[in-house]
Amino acid sequence: MISTRILPLMRKEFIHIRRDPRSLLILFLMPLLMMFIFGYAINMDLKHIRLGICDLSRTPASRDMIEALKASPYFDVVVRYDNPGRTEKLFKKRLVRAVVIFDTDFERALERSAVTPLGVIADGTDANSATLVQNYLEGLFMGRSLEISSAGQEPPIRIKARMLYNPDMESAHFIVPGIVALLLIMIGALLTSVTIAREKEAGTMEQILVTPIRPYEVVLGKAIPYLVLGFGIAVFIMIFGHVWFEVPMRGAWSWLLLFCVVYIFTALAIGLLISTVVATQQVAMMLSLVATLLPSVMLSGFVFPIASMPQPLQWISKVVPATYFLIIIRGIMLKGNGLAELWPVVAAMSGIGVFFIAVAVKRFKLKL
Amino acid sequence: MGRSAENPAALGNAAALPYAVTVRGLTRRFGDFVAVDNISFDVRQGEIFGFLGANGAGKTTTIRMLIGLLKPSSGSGRVGGYDINREQEKIKPRIGYMSQRFSLYDDLTAGENLAFFGGVYGLNRDQVAGRIAELDSALLLSAIADRMTASLPLGFKQRLALACAILHRPPILFLDEPTGGVDPIARRYFWDLISALAADGTTVFVTTHYMEEAEYCHRLSIMYKGRIAEVDSPPAIKKKYRMTSIEDIFIHLVDR
Ligand SMILES: Nc1ncnc2c1ncn2[C@@H]1O[C@H](COP(=O)(O)OP(=O)(O)OP(=O)(O)O)[C@@H](O)[C@H]1O
Ligand SMILES: [Mg+2]
């Protein structure tokens, strides 16, 4: 199927890639940078969370718990104070991510084995550490209270957690696959649209079009080298997310990599389509970013759940390739899904890719 | 689609005629503006056919219609016997094209550019190497083969562009201002090569601004504002207008 005329095209494209090591470096470093920017907020902060403690009860029981908190690697107790009125100020000054308040009747309540009012306030703008604080304290106090009350019919301490600023929550394991989906579609579309726009600017596209090369050969000759490059980037950032951010891999790498190729193909198809409507690299770059970044962040289920979007936006989300890839990558990495569960999603994503590439080839011909 | 059949008798079966290019009533509009206005001419096989005209006369637009980069608004034409409206795919392997603007890959070496264009015309590595050796004495390609195209002086770039256009031995060659910005010595070499190609049977369709280059052409077409003002051999044109310089005739026609 691959005609001999595609080979020189591909060879030339690989030379372009090789001769531009700066762009290549950016292509591999940008994902790293983005993963770090997002990942730092998600993950690194999950240890050494700055904690404030307001001990109004001043009893052996409360001191015991405070020692446990101090010993934990997850928390750094940075402030101890007595006036609960200072709590708000501590948050505003960003001195603490969470505070634990032991009420005056804390010990007495424990002894009575009744439900003890223990206040935990967490900074919800950083949803992930807020969740962690809540979960960790719950676990800690659960264990403690069971130790204290030998009876243990009901956990005597009930945490009343209050989220400030941000009631929604997102976890690292959901965000890292989202970044992978976002980066791949962005880079894929950008790569192809810019390289074709560059040929238009330089006039080399015309020089190619007067040769016997067919439009589909031009399109494939461009797409295949960037598919290889995109795949390299994909493997790189997925392994990085898996190793560094410890996103679990419950399914098979082979399925993930295979579906990744389909996804990158779809991204390249979008880039090709964009390249048929733009004349300059600048416009190609802008349009690629707008066409991939916004929908992939806003409409794919990466940030906002699709089910809670207005109906028209839900329809649009169905033609956003990232929507499908998110289901695929989260499904494989987090749930251990395989082809059996994912084939309809993969089919839909392939369909979109084939549609885009068909329109791109058609538009390539029409231009003449 | 009926355009090409407009005057089948006049166009005839091109293979049987000694014409490499025939054009009838070719017109191209951009919106309301008529860039090429109902032109007709024939180019014989093995002829150097010069297209002379001021900036914006429509020379490039005409070439682009002949080589399949632009659809004519109306009119018909044949290149190498094939219809420019319907058979572009058959025309493409039979032509070479050097565009007005240098358009090879700057980040490839001269040798890589040659290998690429040879490859897309279906030549293998050995054939490309063989052609480069053949063209070496005229175009001095081996001296620049390993140099990055971006770093080449303009004269070398143009020689390289010509080499890329003739690697596959096209019977018809379209050159759009091939010598723009090149020094007189380099221009002289360039025209010697064009003459040699024509002597070997290649039809050369060439546009130029340089009046002295008109003398190298077997026949000239003087184009003005999208129309052809005159087509004939340089001596015949001089005789007709009773002037000794093509430049004077050109100014006379344009001033009219
Ligand atoms: N794509 C286009 N859209 C609109 N106008 C165009 C287009 N291409 C060419 N023109 C106009 O058509 C006219 C003829 O252009 P063309 O490039 O054919 O001239 P030319 O004879 O090659 O001139 P030059 O010697 O400057 O190369 C010019 O006025 C040009 O502005
Ligand atoms: Mg021109």
Side-chain angles (χ1 to χ4, degrees):
Chain A
M1 174 201 153
I2 290 188
S3 89
T4 52
R5 279 181 306 225
I6 294 186
L7 291 176
L9 270 171
M10 286 169 45
R11 208 173 292 136
K12 166 188 81 76
E13 215 57 47
F14 278 119
I15 297 177
H16 288 320
I17 294 171
R18 221 178 46 224
R19 294 270 157 83
D20 192 5
R22 257 199 325 193
S23 301
L24 205 56
L25 194 68
I26 291 172
L27 282 176
F28 279 87
L29 284 187
M30 186 180 71
L32 268 195
L33 196 71
M34 265 179 85
M35 298 261 270
F36 267 110
I37 291 170
F38 282 86
Y40 189 73
I42 301 161
N43 208 353
M44 309 303 278
D45 269 1
L46 291 188
K47 288 188 174 141
H48 305 293
I49 291 170
R50 292 186 307 278
L51 204 62
I53 288 177
C54 178
D55 186 3
L56 302 174
S57 97
R58 296 181 170 284
T59 53
S62 67
R63 276 197 294 276
D64 188 33
M65 294 239 176
I66 292 166
E67 285 313 308
L69 284 174
K70 276 169 136 178
S72 155
Y74 295 105
F75 302 108
D76 290 339
V77 176
V78 290
V79 191
R80 309 257 320 241
Y81 61 105
D82 302 321
N83 175 10
R86 276 184 66 199
T87 307
E88 183 83 21
K89 212 171 241 164
L90 290 176
F91 277 112
K92 288 239 164 97
K93 287 189 175 164
R94 301 205 139 262
L95 290 174
V96 296
R97 300 306 266 281
V99 300
V100 182
I101 301 172
F102 296 90
D103 230 333
T104 36
D105 58 349
F106 178 70
E107 197 179 40
R108 242 183 335 146
L110 262 186
E111 278 161 5
R112 271 194 274 115
S113 279
V115 174
T116 312
L118 174 68
V120 175
I121 304 179
D123 181 348
T125 48
D126 176 9
N128 296 291
S129 42
T131 323
L132 187 93
V133 175
Q134 191 186 6
N135 290 342
Y136 183 81
L137 287 176
E138 231 160 62
L140 181 72
F141 289 125
M142 190 85 88
R144 289 274 144 175
S145 54
L146 285 177
E147 272 171 38
I148 293 167
S149 67
S150 47
Q153 315 107 333
E154 199 199 345
I157 301 177
R158 174 151 301 155
I159 308 256
K160 273 210 257 161
R162 191 154 66 90
M163 286 298 162
L164 290 180
Y165 312 127
N166 174 14
D168 294 335
M169 271 167 278
E170 190 71 87
S171 108
H173 295 175
F174 277 79
I175 286 182
V176 170
I179 296 174
V180 175
L182 174 65
L183 282 171
L184 288 185
I185 194 109
M186 211 170 80
I187 292 176
L190 207 62
L191 280 178
T192 29
S193 66
V194 169
T195 160
I196 293 180
R198 183 172 73 169
E199 296 225 15
K200 284 192 191 173
E201 276 182 24
T204 48
M205 188 50 86
E206 268 197 16
Q207 200 66 51
I208 291 183
L209 289 175
V210 297
T211 72
I213 282 187
R214 301 294 169 96
Y216 86 90
E217 292 171 327
V218 176
V219 167
L220 283 183
K222 283 278 175 195
I224 293 170
Y226 289 102
L227 192 64
V228 173
L229 179 62
F231 186 72
I233 295 171
V235 169
F236 174 68
I237 62 180
M238 286 192 304
I239 288 179
F240 186 79
H242 177 62
V243 172
W244 188 268
F245 293 105
E246 292 167 357
V247 179
M249 185 58 191
R250 305 205 168 96
W253 278 107
S254 51
W255 283 130
L256 184 56
L257 294 179
L258 182 68
F259 299 153
C260 216
V261 172
V262 179
Y263 183 55
I264 297 167
F265 168 79
T266 309
L268 300 179
I270 293 176
L272 286 168
L273 193 56
I274 288 171
S275 73
T276 62
V277 295
V278 302
T280 67
Q281 296 183 64
Q282 293 250 318
V283 182
M285 205 178 290
M286 297 292 292
L287 201 57
S288 301
L289 286 181
V290 171
T292 58
L293 198 66
L294 279 177
S296 305
V297 172
M298 312 298 277
L299 300 176
S300 67
F302 176 17
V303 176
F304 305 114
I306 294 173
S308 63
M309 290 174 193
Q311 193 59 52
L313 291 185
Q314 289 195 29
W315 288 327
I316 296 176
S317 80
K318 284 201 168 47
V319 296
V320 175
T323 305
Y324 300 99
F325 188 67
L326 265 180
I327 297 173
I328 291 169
I329 187 172
R330 283 174 176 170
I332 293 176
M333 292 190 92
L334 305 179
K335 292 192 222 156
N337 286 169
L339 187 64
E341 297 88 1
L342 293 172
W343 71 265
V345 184
V346 175
M349 191 169 78
S350 320
I352 292 174
V354 169
F355 173 76
F356 282 143
I357 205 115
V359 179
V361 172
K362 190 145 182 98
R363 285 201 50 102
F364 242 90
K365 283 186 195 152
L366 276 181
K367 261 188 337 181
L368 302 185
Chain B
M1 274 291 130
R3 282 180 217 136
S4 59
E6 219 170 44
N7 193 351
L11 286 173
N13 179 0
L17 286 168
Y19 292 125
V21 179
T22 54
V23 167
R24 292 290 175 274
L26 198 63
T27 301
R28 173 69 204 207
R29 293 182 204 91
F30 294 109
D32 288 339
F33 177 72
V34 186
V36 174
D37 190 0
N38 193 25
I39 61 172
S40 303
F41 61 86
D42 300 306
V43 181
R44 293 191 193 100
Q45 263 165 29
E47 182 172 66
I48 301 177
F49 187 81
F51 235 53
L52 216 63
N55 288 118
K59 307 182 293 293
T60 300
T61 306
T62 304
I63 288 189
R64 285 165 56 83
M65 286 191 282
L66 294 179
I67 62 178
L69 285 177
L70 200 64
K71 282 232 182 296
S73 302
S74 64
S76 64
R78 282 180 178 268
V79 171
Y82 296 103
D83 190 318
I84 60 168
N85 282 302
R86 287 183 289 116
E87 297 172 305
Q88 296 103 333
E89 296 311 319
K90 293 213 174 89
I91 294 175
K92 284 175 179 176
R94 293 169 173 82
I95 58 168
Y97 170 56
M98 195 179 147
S99 83
Q100 180 168 1
R101 213 174 119 210
F102 177 78
S103 46
L104 301 182
Y105 296 98
D106 273 342
D107 59 337
L108 264 56
T109 64
E112 287 165 345
N113 266 305
L114 287 163
F116 170 69
F117 283 101
V120 296
Y121 279 108
L123 273 59
N124 63 32
R125 274 166 200 266
D126 290 342
Q127 288 170 316
V128 171
R131 280 296 279 159
I132 291 174
E134 277 174 41
L135 295 169
D136 197 41
S137 59
L139 294 172
L140 307 172
L141 296 171
S142 56
I144 56 166
D146 292 327
R147 286 186 56 184
M148 206 53 80
T149 302
S151 72
L152 293 174
L154 190 59
F156 280 94
K157 281 187 179 179
Q158 259 145 337
R159 263 184 262 170
L160 177 61
L162 179 66
C164 286
I166 61 177
L167 275 179
H168 60 296
R169 301 176 194 278
I172 306 170
L173 190 56
F174 291 90
L175 307 173
D176 198 355
E177 290 184 33
T179 54
V182 174
D183 67 66
I185 308 282
R187 243 161 51 206
R188 181 61 185 267
Y189 276 120
F190 207 93
W191 275 98
D192 285 348
L193 185 73
I194 291 173
S195 300
L197 285 169
D200 283 347
T202 304
T203 307
V204 182
F205 189 112
V206 57
T207 74
T208 183
H209 279 307
Y210 298 107
M211 297 302 157
E212 72 270 22
E213 290 186 350
E215 302 288 352
Y216 293 103
C217 300
H218 299 134
R219 283 199 308 141
L220 272 183
S221 144
I222 298 176
M223 202 169 180
Y224 175 62
K225 284 194 176 169
R227 291 166 180 269
I228 290 181
E230 190 62 66
V231 195
D232 215 329
S233 67
I237 292 178
K238 286 179 194 166
K239 205 169 154 191
K240 179 174 171 188
Y241 292 92
R242 289 181 206 164
M243 295 186 202
T244 50
S245 108
I246 296 290
E247 185 161 356
D248 292 340
I249 296 166
F250 181 75
I251 291 167
H252 166 76
L253 285 170
V254 166
D255 261 357
R256 210 165 44 180

